[in-house]
Amino acid sequence: MPLATEIQDFILQYKSDWDSSVNVACEKFFESYHASVAPSVPNSSIRWEQDVKYGPDPRHRLDIFWPADASATEATCPVVVYFHGGAFRVGDNVITPHMHANIGKFFASQGMVGVLGTYRLLPEARFPDGREDVAAALTWLSDNAHQYGGDRNAIFALGQSAGGGLLAMALFSGRLELDKDRSLVRGVLLLSAALDYDLTREDRGKSMEAYYGTQDHAAIHAQSALGTFKNLPWEDEVVRRTPDLYLMLAEWDFDECVRSNLEFLREYRTRRHRVPRFEVLPGHNHVSYCLSMGLPGDEVGPRIVDWVRRCLELE
């Protein structure tokens, strides 16, 4: 069953148009929609804890959702961690009364530990703060997920937009490695990830110059997720244990996002002689597939659950 016609029509109003006003419109629309439908999962079947600290900064926070019947003793639940987007400037675990709790609750309803993670933002943050925050959050979960029934050997990290860029930076810089043969995460899903930037856009150029602390655009590109991947030593990349990698783009994603992801896929194919799992989400824009997760007709959440389960079956 697809998403309601009302939701599809809303997305088609904007198609690939994207700016802060469209983002605000999406948040208002999907918050209203979540509020208007009966919860798909009874709150009694899920437990949650907000603002769990994984580090010293006020932005070092996790919201954790887990099945009420999960056992801290056995700790067998897969752990799915979502890092939000927001152009390195905005965003949080809670952006409205129902979001992004919809994501955490959805995964908890599937017998998993759902985690929302936030990180340091502009104007205070500077590279590599966000990358280090993502790694610190995942390290904390590796050490503590068992308290919520989570299996430390079955952690899957999702990053959307800027959060996806930071997650990819952490992965390709080796920050997610426990040791030479083990990773903090079993899988990485990049959702419309900010893998590189169109610095000719005035707003993007100013933000990235502030974040990276330089006006040298070549240096900024080199330290992006795509640049980090390109700069990996070939021999080091061959031996590095890489988690299962999965990329998603929306049909109506904006040009900057699409171009950087396609360039990454070309570079990945050249280096690895294969293509990572890649999927286009029909009928969605840059954020609609995340904001609609858990609603009737949501097909993206179940796809992610299926990916997690298949990865674990292959072990």
Side-chain angles (χ1 to χ4, degrees), residues 211-224:
Y211 188 72
Y212 286 92
T214 181
Q215 295 182 334
D216 183 342
H217 287 189
I220 293 173
H221 287 302
Q223 295 179 102
S224 69

Side-chain angles (χ1 to χ4, degrees), residues 96-169:
T96 72
H98 290 86
M99 302 181 301
H100 296 103
N102 64 303
I103 297 173
K105 289 182 177 180
F106 171 76
F107 288 114
S109 76
Q110 302 299 306
M112 302 177 178
V113 178
V115 183
L116 309 175
T118 194
Y119 45 85
R120 286 172 285 180
L121 298 171
L122 286 168
E124 291 80 18
R126 293 292 180 273
F127 176 84
D129 288 350
R131 182 191 77 185
E132 298 304 298
D133 292 349
V134 166
L138 293 170
T139 300
W140 188 94
L141 284 165
S142 180
D143 293 337
N144 295 280
H146 65 278
Q147 299 177 34
Y148 307 92
D151 180 356
R152 66 173 299 179
N153 296 311
I155 297 176
F156 292 79
L158 284 52
Q160 200 275 331
S161 195
L166 297 173
L167 175 58
M169 288 182 210

Side-chain angles (χ1 to χ4, degrees), residues 7-276:
I7 296 177
Q8 298 179 52
D9 289 345
F10 171 81
I11 295 169
L12 285 174
Q13 287 183 57
Y14 300 101
K15 293 187 176 180
S16 60
D17 291 343
W18 190 256
D19 58 24
S20 60
S21 67
V22 178
N23 187 50
V24 169
C26 289
E27 290 180 3
K28 288 182 176 178
F29 174 85
F30 282 103
E31 170 56 28
S32 175
Y33 209 93
H34 277 285
S36 70
V37 299
S40 58
V41 182
N43 284 340
S44 60
S45 67
I46 295 173
R47 295 177 181 172
W48 62 88
E49 184 177 353
Q50 293 181 295
D51 297 332
V52 177
K53 296 290 292 178
Y54 69 83
D57 193 88
R59 297 286 310 182
H60 290 160
R61 292 180 280 104
L62 304 172
D63 289 358
I64 305 176
F65 303 77
W66 67 98
D69 59 358
S71 168
T73 303
E74 296 181 5
T76 58
C77 297
V79 181
V80 180
V81 192
Y82 175 84
F83 295 100
H84 62 80
F88 297 82
R89 285 193 173 275
V90 298
D92 211 325
N93 296 333
V94 176
I95 57 172
T96 72
H98 290 86
M99 302 181 301
H100 296 103
N102 64 303
I103 297 173
K105 289 182 177 180
F106 171 76
F107 288 114
S109 76
Q110 302 299 306
M112 302 177 178
V113 178
V115 183
L116 309 175
T118 194
Y119 45 85
R120 286 172 285 180
L121 298 171
L122 286 168
E124 291 80 18
R126 293 292 180 273
F127 176 84
D129 288 350
R131 182 191 77 185
E132 298 304 298
D133 292 349
V134 166
L138 293 170
T139 300
W140 188 94
L141 284 165
S142 180
D143 293 337
N144 295 280
H146 65 278
Q147 299 177 34
Y148 307 92
D151 180 356
R152 66 173 299 179
N153 296 311
I155 297 176
F156 292 79
L158 284 52
Q160 200 275 331
S161 195
L166 297 173
L167 175 58
M169 288 182 210
L171 174 63
F172 300 139
S173 65
R175 299 294 290 118
L176 303 187
E177 294 178 346
L178 279 170
D179 53 43
K180 183 179 178 181
D181 300 313
R182 293 187 303 152
S183 173
L184 282 169
V185 294
R186 179 63 185 81
V188 167
L189 172 52
L190 304 178
L191 300 159
S192 302
L195 300 180
D196 200 7
Y197 325 110
D198 181 0
L199 300 178
T200 65
R201 290 177 48 187
E202 183 178 3
D203 59 340
R204 186 74 75 231
K206 288 182 178 179
S207 290
M208 294 300 97
E209 287 172 2
Y211 188 72
Y212 286 92
T214 181
Q215 295 182 334
D216 183 342
H217 287 189
I220 293 173
H221 287 302
Q223 295 179 102
S224 69
L226 177 61
T228 302
F229 183 77
K230 286 181 175 180
N231 290 329
L232 279 174
W234 283 65
E235 64 277 7
D236 181 56
E237 187 181 6
V238 171
V239 300
R240 174 172 291 153
R241 181 188 185 280
T242 302
D244 193 89
L245 182 62
Y246 187 6
L247 283 76
M248 286 183 177
L249 280 176
E251 176 184 0
W252 298 114
D253 250 317
F254 56 94
D255 184 65
E256 176 188 24
C257 180
V258 173
R259 283 191 291 106
S260 68
N261 276 261
L262 294 182
E263 185 175 353
F264 170 76
L265 288 171
R266 286 192 293 269
E267 185 70 21
Y268 190 99
R269 174 67 178 82
T270 299
R271 287 170 169 258
R272 297 288 175 87
H273 307 292
R274 63 184 179 89
V275 178

